[in-house]
Each structure stands twice: as structure tokens, then as C-alpha cells.
Amino acid sequence: MIHIITVHFEDDSWINIQKNFFEDNFSGEYKFYVSLEGIAPSYEHDSYFYKTYETLGRHHTKLNILADLVFMSEGVKDEDILIFVDGDAFPIKPIDVFITENLKKYPLIAVQRLENNGDCQPHPCFTATTVGFWKKIKGDWNKGYSWKNNEGQSTTDTGGNLLGILEKEKIKWLPILRSNKVNL
């Protein structure tokens, strides 16, 4: 089972696009856990989603709360895959094999936004891991842990604490780098 965690805020224009691209590019069983803050409750009868319309805090807080909801869901296993993805992000080709093969080598796969002034933390625009690993490390999307950016300044952002956990525990993860050189 794959548990997809995403946040949509005050705009529902990406929800069906994201849902359709996941349908087209995932062959396994999956379920969305979605924060729909500021969006009209028009997905009430959609069993595709576990959804909440409540104000849960900032983006990183919502991701952490939704992960906790996955853990409390019936039948969730440690080997289940956990995917965090931004509300306006989606796979454009089948990625099941990429995820399963790389999770055999690395406990966490994530976009790393080096093009964003050297942001080196795992980024939730796309991150994949297992439920068991996320629980084991007490995964945390909050800001806090800091690094030096390309200008030598100390900075933190969403995923900062996750980077801190990975560095402290000396856990090697697979960074996915942006390859689109035309439209950053």
C-alpha cells in the first residue's frame, strides 16, 4: 500500500490533475491523505481521500499531522510506502519501480533543491520512504535545523529538522536533483 500525503490550500485547481496523474502512473494500491484548508467541501463522498478541511497550521505542520493520521489508519504496515508530494506536483511517468528499487538501497528518496540558493534538505515536493523508517526516525518536516546556503548564511526551511535527523544519525539518503535547465 502507498500512502500519499499532500496539502492543497485555498485552491482546488490541482486536486483532480494530481489525482489523475497518480492514477496514470501508479499501478499499486494507494490512498491520499489530504489537507484541503480553505477549499469548499466538494470531496465529501470521494473515498479516494482521507481529507481534512480544518486549519492544521503551516505546511510542515500539516505534513506531520497527516503522517500521524497514516500511522493511526487501520491495516498500515511498516513496509508500506509513504509519499509526501506538494499539491501542485505529480508524476509524469510511471514511478513505482523507481521508488521500490531505490528504497531497497536508501531509506529515503527526496527532491533536493540545490538550485534554490543551495537548499540541501529533503524537500516535500516529492519524498518517498517507508512507514517504518519514518516512524523509526520520528520524521519531522518542521524548520529548525539549519545549514549554510550558497551565500554562506545560516538558513532553515521546511525539511530542516528532517535533514538534522539524517545527518545526526549518519543516514545516507537519495537526493533527486532538478534536471530541467530551461525553466527553473
Side-chain angles (χ1 to χ4, degrees):
M1 173 65 100
I2 300 169
H3 306 276
I4 303 166
I5 295 174
T6 190
V7 174
H8 293 273
F9 182 72
E10 296 185 352
D11 181 2
D12 67 353
S13 61
W14 289 99
I15 295 171
N16 287 327
I17 295 169
Q18 186 179 60
K19 180 180 167 183
N20 292 338
F21 271 88
F22 271 97
E23 283 175 0
D24 292 345
N25 292 295
F26 264 44
S27 58
E29 187 180 2
Y30 57 94
K31 183 174 183 179
F32 276 90
Y33 297 77
V34 187
S35 171
L36 297 171
E37 182 182 344
I39 297 174
S42 57
Y43 297 91
E44 286 303 309
H45 303 291
D46 192 337
S47 62
Y48 199 86
F49 296 107
Y50 170 86
K51 58 232 162 258
T52 177
Y53 295 95
E54 299 171 41
T55 301
L56 300 175
R58 299 186 55 106
H59 185 70
H60 43 83
T61 304
K62 292 172 186 171
L63 295 171
N64 287 338
I65 290 170
L66 290 169
D68 288 343
L69 290 172
V70 170
F71 303 154
M72 293 185 291
S73 297
E74 189 175 322
V76 173
K77 299 179 181 90
D78 282 351
E79 61 270 14
D80 286 355
I81 294 174
L82 192 61
I83 294 177
F84 298 90
V85 61
D86 277 351
D88 61 352
F90 44 83
I92 58 170
K93 65 181 186 178
I95 59 171
D96 303 59
V97 173
F98 173 81
I99 291 171
T100 55
E101 290 301 311
N102 281 295
L103 284 178
K104 291 176 186 174
K105 301 177 219 170
Y106 303 93
L108 185 117
I109 305 162
V111 166
Q112 186 181 53
R113 303 273 322 265
L114 294 177
E115 82 284 355
N116 190 29
N117 203 21
D119 281 355
C120 59
Q121 84 279 22
H123 196 280
C125 66
F126 177 83
T127 297
T129 188
T130 62
V131 167
F133 180 73
W134 195 258
K135 288 193 303 192
K136 176 183 167 189
I137 66 166
K138 295 179 176 70
D140 180 9
W141 283 111
N142 283 304
K143 300 177 183 184
Y145 181 82
S146 62
W147 61 90
K148 299 281 186 199
N149 66 18
N150 287 346
E151 297 166 358
Q153 298 169 328
S154 183
T155 190
T156 188
D157 202 350
T158 299
N161 283 352
L162 178 56
L163 177 64
I165 293 165
L166 296 171
E167 288 186 355
K168 178 182 175 211
E169 300 297 324
K170 297 179 176 44
I171 297 170
K172 188 172 175 154
W173 57 286
L174 178 62
I176 302 170
L177 302 178
R178 187 168 186 152
S179 59
N180 179 351
K181 304 292 185 200
V182 177
N183 181 9
L184 292 178

